[in-house]
Amino acid sequence: MLSDIKLSSAITEFKNYTFYQCNNLTSVSLGSEVNKIGHYAFVGSSLEDVTILSDDVAINNYAFGYDSDITIYCKKDSNVNEFAESRGFKTIWID
């Protein structure tokens, strides 16, 4: 069962439905080269936390669905932080 993943910095995009309904997935760490997270990429998972190291990521409004219980670790001055706060996710700033 896939529960937690740390992905290579060579990955730049998560297409629509990449981890859709991967209900054992609880933690994801995305490298600094990620620039896009598509529709429903993580919907139906059991994500508790997501680390996004990139400053500038195009995140679809429904990439994580409506689960505001997710904690997003990101840089304070990133658009990821703006996205997380606008969707009601808890954010923790990283350097």
Side-chain angles (χ1 to χ4, degrees), residues 9-49:
S9 61
I11 296 172
T12 60
E13 179 179 345
F14 291 87
K15 297 191 181 284
N16 301 344
Y17 300 95
T18 302
F19 291 103
Y20 181 77
Q21 296 295 328
C22 189
N23 56 5
N24 293 314
L25 185 61
T26 59
S27 181
V28 175
S29 181
L30 308 180
S32 59
E33 298 300 317
V34 171
N35 59 34
K36 182 178 179 187
I37 302 173
H39 297 282
Y40 306 100
F42 295 96
V43 170
S45 67
S46 299
L47 279 180
E48 297 169 5
D49 60 86

Side-chain angles (χ1 to χ4, degrees), residues 29-72:
S29 181
L30 308 180
S32 59
E33 298 300 317
V34 171
N35 59 34
K36 182 178 179 187
I37 302 173
H39 297 282
Y40 306 100
F42 295 96
V43 170
S45 67
S46 299
L47 279 180
E48 297 169 5
D49 60 86
V50 179
T51 301
I52 303 176
L53 300 176
S54 181
D55 291 335
D56 188 26
V57 182
I59 304 173
N60 180 272
N61 284 339
Y62 303 106
F64 300 101
Y66 301 100
D67 186 359
S68 61
D69 291 337
I70 297 171
T71 299
I72 296 183

Side-chain angles (χ1 to χ4, degrees), residues 4 6 24 31 37 43 51 67 73 75 83 87 93:
D4 129 70
K6 182 176 182 179
N24 293 314
I37 302 173
V43 170
T51 301
D67 186 359
Y73 294 82
K75 296 179 181 177
F83 168 83
R87 303 295 288 173
W93 299 325

